[in-house]
Amino acid sequence: MIASHLLAYFFTELNHDQVQKVDQYLYHMRLSDETLLEISKRFRKEMEKGLGATTHPTAAVKMLPTFVRSTPDGTEHGEFLALDLGGTNFRVLWVKVTDNGLQKVEMENQIYAIPEDIMRGSGTQLFDHIAECLANFMDKLQIKDKKLPLGFTFSFPCHQTKLDESFLVSWTKGFKSSGVEGRDVVTLIRKAIQRRGDFDIDIVAVVNDTVGTMMTCGYDDHNCEIGLIVGTGSNACYMEEMRHIDMVEGDEGRMCINMEWGAFGDDGSLNDIRTEFDQEIDMGSLNPGKQLEKDGIRKAREVLMRLGLDPTQEDCVATHRICQIVSTRSASLCAATLAAVLQRIKENKGEERLRSTVGVDGSVYKKHPHFAKCLHKTVRRLVPDCDVRFLRSEDGSGKGAAMVTAVAYRLADQHRARQKTLEPLQLSHDQLLEVKRRMKVEMERGLSKETHAIAPVKMLPTYVCATPDGTEKGDFLALDLGGTNFRVLLVRVRNGKWGGVEMHNKIYAIPQEVMHGTGDELFDHIVQCIADFLEYMGMKGVSLPLGFTFSFPCQQNSLDESILLKWTKGFKASGCEGEDVVTLLKEAIHRREEFDLDVVAVVNDTVGTMMTCGFEDPHCEVGLIVGTGSNACYMEEMRNVELVEGEEGRMCVNMEWGAFGDNGCLDDFCTEFDVAVDELSLNPGKQRFEKMISGMYLGEIVRNILIDFTKRGLLFRGRISERLKTRGIFETKFLSQIESDCLALLQVRAILQHLGLESTCDDSIIVKEVCTVVARRAAQLCGAGMAAVVDKIRENRGLDALKVTVGVDGTLYKLHPHFAKVMHETVKDLAPKCDVSFLQSEDGSGKGAALITAVACRIREAGQR
């Protein structure tokens, strides 16, 4: 139409000898790359306005949510129906999608007329007519007995609120059916089908032709995430991140946005590039954007003659040139807006270079001889960091609706399959109460002399009989040995109740030849490091009380006597197993004859955690570690600790609760994934509870679930990477990173790519869900165990209500974004009569040993008075 206005101007205003000036006159219609980039920039701003909750009402580019949340992945299959209503004729289609290794689509369709009296009658008449045509079509294909899913292409202005709910705003294209505007068209067609009663269908989706175009092309090319129509009118859609769509709740995943980009510039943002001919068209037409679609100078003569003109050769050349300039400008403007979309997707994904496909339909794009080529070249010039492929759509308005439906069905089927798999990991309130009850039973068995030997939860006496009371003071040394490095610490406890702690420490390595040598060599090396530390601190020759954190399997017979049962963690020093480690340390100190130390206590890190927090909070009587491993301790009444003589007072019991379930009492809570992880562990059948809740194993549980999903085609499009098959590759730290609230899905994809997994946005959501389920179960099980502990303390003391603090340490508890909160909620839910506070420990394995020593010295001094 712009071309026709230009031609009219040319033939009425210019003389034949001035034709050579046409190019000069039309120079201002040519758009430089600089201008196109400016237009692209303005369009980006309009997109953001359309997506924003506060700016959407006044935005020219409306950016409407379509509720289409995924593109095809090639695994879709089944039979589907589609309705395509957008004019006086409408179509019914049957589409069969086959996934047998070769993607295949079969289609049958029929066109039905809509008589004018129905177009202008009641809505009931219109939708009854559509239902009748649908019944006729199904009769012909003999599929009336099947309840098939249906996608509905409804090309009228609508307000869409769900994938299957769309309210007609106003009729266009000559339709005037009463009682439809303002109502959901899906409900109207469902009622029409119900009134017939001779068949049933499942209407899954309402879409427009732009979305249908993207989905049709997306089936053939899985990189397709943009749909473009350039025909009588023009529009585009693309897959946007949910976190940017303010009009729809939810931050995860993506949704297709129907841009309605034809209104770009309605707010005046394009006035500086509009010509007098654009303005004339706007005043005289309801449908701007149409253009002359003829090519060649010879064709120009035919067209001009049909218009009653007697053109010269120069006239024909000028006409051809005008059409060329107008179509080039059109393609360039389309490219500028498309470049904005591509740039936004690239930034959303955080990729240095984007690879994307644009599905395209429309008569201008398909039939104009140069439009497509000009569009492609201009887009690639404007966004050189995007590798863009253009794919022509075949029947986006019909087949596309079926594809949207196929994807929706695929997602629903896969979701159901995944939920069924994850269901055993999602524990109910009653199940957690049962875990709590069983833990209490096993605690009683571990405390009893009669059943202790066969009890999996050993409930070991620690001989720590008091927590800090705030009057401790003095300087104390601590050793922390639990790996290839060990620490020596000086802990200064200040005077005054809860006065504070000052701490100095130094880390020392243990060479492998010492780890694998004799016991004397190992303990001589430890003493050498103590001597170095004392000299470093300027305390050479000083004799101080010492606490020893020794994190290996031991049988403790008193506070300062602990028999090493077995070396672990790569240690093989001879002459140590079966010996008291305190005696071995003292003998090494005596051999050196340089200083003397009073080894007061041998402890583990769980007890150290409780004591460290107990120095800050007098209510702290429970210690909990949830890191690579897990354990708990608490202050038990002496009358219940049958392994130690005496009835008065309390003693800290090291529960060793990681072995809860080793007797089979948790078998009904173990899933196939727990079993798989246990069977391939270093200690099959042992530490069953720890394998369900600790950081060493959660990543491996997740990995096994991901492999199961992938093998069943529910994830990563059924493609398992070699790295995913590697045991231990999915570290528990990835759970913490993936579940972080501030981590966008593109960063989740980066983690998966690091693991060799090529993932889609949907894959990232699924992986995040699996991580959430596994970590939540771990936190809930840990909470159930802790609820058993605090309730036992309350019942021991015959209290209606208990106020108690739990000192906690461990990387999983501290670093996972949701573990602590879920665990706290579970304890509160399962032990409602206990007011439980949680206090994070700082350096329980080192500082804790010194504080146990401080408490022991306080008690010893009090006894000597």
Side-chain angles (χ1 to χ4, degrees), residues 32-48:
S32 67
D33 281 0
E34 184 180 359
T35 301
L36 292 174
L37 286 170
E38 175 59 26
I39 291 168
S40 187
K41 180 181 175 183
R42 294 179 194 178
F43 190 70
R44 281 289 302 272
K45 289 182 179 178
E46 289 299 320
M47 290 171 68
E48 289 168 10

Side-chain angles (χ1 to χ4, degrees), residues 53 61 189 256 349 354 375 392 501 574 640 654 675:
V61 181
I189 197 166
C256 179
K349 291 185 175 181
L354 176 68
L375 173 68
R392 282 172 58 153
V501 174
S574 61
N640 296 331
N654 169 25
V675 172

Side-chain angles (χ1 to χ4, degrees), residues 145-177:
D145 58 331
K146 298 180 180 180
K147 184 178 180 179
L148 296 179
L150 179 142
F152 189 9
T153 302
F154 189 72
S155 301
F156 297 90
C158 286
H159 171 58
Q160 193 153 358
T161 51
K162 298 178 186 174
L163 185 60
D164 63 347
E165 186 175 81
S166 192
F167 295 85
L168 176 65
V169 175
S170 61
W171 281 121
T172 57
K173 308 174 187 179
F175 280 78
K176 292 185 179 179
S177 299

Side-chain angles (χ1 to χ4, degrees), residues 73-184:
D73 70 357
T75 63
E76 291 79 15
H77 62 275
E79 294 181 63
F80 307 93
L81 291 170
L83 285 180
D84 180 9
L85 177 61
T88 54
N89 292 328
F90 80 100
R91 287 187 306 153
V92 185
L93 303 91
W94 169 83
V95 180
K96 184 176 182 181
V97 184
T98 307
D99 172 33
N100 55 359
L102 296 172
Q103 294 175 206
K104 183 181 176 183
V105 178
E106 301 173 58
M107 275 202 311
E108 297 281 348
N109 73 90
Q110 187 165 333
I111 296 173
Y112 293 90
I114 303 179
E116 189 171 346
D117 61 317
I118 291 179
M119 290 173 63
R120 297 173 179 272
S122 69
T124 301
Q125 288 175 300
L126 173 63
F127 286 98
D128 281 348
H129 176 71
I130 292 170
E132 184 179 347
C133 297
L134 185 55
N136 174 267
F137 179 78
M138 295 175 75
D139 267 334
K140 286 184 177 179
L141 293 185
Q142 299 181 342
I143 55 173
K144 217 171 181 182
D145 58 331
K146 298 180 180 180
K147 184 178 180 179
L148 296 179
L150 179 142
F152 189 9
T153 302
F154 189 72
S155 301
F156 297 90
C158 286
H159 171 58
Q160 193 153 358
T161 51
K162 298 178 186 174
L163 185 60
D164 63 347
E165 186 175 81
S166 192
F167 295 85
L168 176 65
V169 175
S170 61
W171 281 121
T172 57
K173 308 174 187 179
F175 280 78
K176 292 185 179 179
S177 299
S178 62
V180 181
E181 291 180 350
R183 298 182 66 185
D184 172 28

Side-chain angles (χ1 to χ4, degrees), residues 778-805:
Q780 288 178 320
L781 287 172
C782 194
M786 190 48 56
V789 172
V790 296
D791 245 1
K792 185 169 193 334
I793 294 174
R794 181 184 63 79
E795 290 169 2
N796 282 346
R797 300 175 190 178
L799 300 173
D800 292 330
L802 172 72
K803 181 177 176 61
V804 68
T805 297

Side-chain angles (χ1 to χ4, degrees), residues 587-605:
E587 289 174 351
I589 292 170
H590 292 153
R591 280 196 297 272
R592 191 170 180 88
E593 295 184 344
E594 187 176 313
F595 56 85
D596 194 20
L597 295 173
D598 178 14
V599 183
V600 174
V602 185
V603 298
N604 71 5
D605 53 358

Side-chain angles (χ1 to χ4, degrees), residues 581-655:
V581 295
V582 173
T583 298
L584 294 174
L585 179 61
K586 285 180 176 178
E587 289 174 351
I589 292 170
H590 292 153
R591 280 196 297 272
R592 191 170 180 88
E593 295 184 344
E594 187 176 313
F595 56 85
D596 194 20
L597 295 173
D598 178 14
V599 183
V600 174
V602 185
V603 298
N604 71 5
D605 53 358
T606 314
V607 181
T609 293
M610 181 188 76
M611 297 299 278
T612 300
C613 295
F615 189 76
E616 297 180 36
D617 184 341
H619 293 291
C620 184
E621 299 184 79
V622 184
L624 172 65
I625 301 285
V626 195
T628 307
S630 183
N631 193 18
C633 68
Y634 72 102
M635 297 302 292
E636 178 59 87
E637 305 299 314
M638 278 294 295
R639 67 179 183 274
N640 296 331
V641 185
E642 295 183 9
L643 298 181
V644 179
E645 291 184 4
E647 297 284 322
E648 297 298 319
R650 295 170 186 156
M651 180 180 287
C652 178
V653 168
N654 169 25
M655 295 178 67

